[in-house]
Amino acid sequence: MGARPPTANRLGNVLQTVPPSVLPQANDACWCGSGRKYKRCHKPLEGRVLQGEVSPMRSVPDHIVKPPYAATGEAPRWAEPRVKTPDIIERMRVAGAMAAEILRLAGEMVRPGITTDEIDVFVHEATIERGAYPSPLNYHGYPKSVCTSVNEVICHGIPDSRALQDGDIVNLDVTCYVGGVHGDTNATFFVGEVDPVSRNLVKVTEECMWKGIEAVVPGRPLSDIGRAIENHAKAHKLGVVRAFIGHGIGEQFHTDIQVLHYYDERASMIMRPGMTFTVEPMITLGSWQHRMVFDDDWTAVTADGKRTAQFEHTLLVTDDGVDVLTAPGAVSPTAPWAR
Ligand code: MF3
Ligand code: CO
Ligand code: CO
């Protein structure tokens, strides 16, 4: 992990974001520049995921068709029809299958010692090779081409110089923009030998996603999805993150359809054939409360530092159920109980 320039927090204190290799004694001033004793400041972060160095933003060749935010980092929003045309749906199948394939290949790279930046390079190149744009890149200013969320990081982790460690779990979230539409999918992978409690968390999280997908039925309210997910998580004494939700998707990365992963009767929008949205539950070992850490304004971690896992598919509501647009070639192509 290289040195990073110190940054200031909101109070103007100069903060060092990467700890030195020799940590202070408990009563010494903390390394981060907060002015507090080490034991009252960063000691509780020992064993937690710490930020590495983020490499410069990568470029995308001119021949790749880019989404409107690629140049500016600002995503214009417009009223996109919730029910898609057959033509859009066919293009979303292409984008979905591409994202699924790249996610599976990126997952095969996961091993102790590889950095999340190396995984980002792979996803970036693999996406461009296939003639697509990596949707996360510069979306609302996001600096990388994939999200890599390790252990207690809930989502939107930024790839950096941190090497994955034996026993970590890591979520990779891949989205491709091709043919004018997005396909969005993610999965959580094991790094080397992972403890049984974390393995169970990942297994139940994948099941939660499939319970949610099976609740996609035309004529039913979106709240059915959250109910199915929450019931399964609760049965395993696991928490459901509320701060991040599934979303409508199509020509825009995120549209106005909101898919809660917990039950709320106000989620009364009726699912109609032709609607496209994601189901992407984030499930926790402890509290579902989140907080932002790091100075990047992206990385969300659990409030108690316990681990969290996530799986995601992009879905199409059909006349009699659901079609998983990110299933072809996927890490998790069907529900475990249907395999
Ligand atoms: N792929 C994420 C999702 O599932 C969104 C990532 S936005 C980014 O909605 F800017 F962080 F890339
Ligand atoms: Co999504
Ligand atoms: Co995603």
Side-chain angles (χ1 to χ4, degrees), residues 136 147 156 171-175 183-187 247 249 253-254 278 280 310-314:
C147 298
H156 303 162
N171 179 277
L172 306 180
D173 192 342
V174 173
T175 311
D184 187 8
T185 183
N186 77 46
H247 51 92
I249 181 168
F253 200 164
H254 296 111
T278 70
E280 48 180 302
Q310 184 181 24
F311 281 82
E312 172 178 32
H313 272 308
T314 295

Side-chain angles (χ1 to χ4, degrees), residues 195 197-198 200-202 237-239 283-287 302 304 306-309:
D195 69 88
V197 171
S198 301
N200 187 60
L201 168 70
V202 173
K237 300 194 162 42
L238 297 171
I283 305 297
T284 59
L285 282 180
S287 161
T302 55
D304 58 10
K306 295 215 171 127
R307 288 183 171 194
T308 168

Side-chain angles (χ1 to χ4, degrees), residues 179-203:
V181 297
H182 298 269
D184 187 8
T185 183
N186 77 46
T188 302
F189 299 91
F190 299 131
V191 184
E193 279 305 308
V194 171
D195 69 88
V197 171
S198 301
R199 296 184 88 90
N200 187 60
L201 168 70
V202 173
K203 169 176 170 281

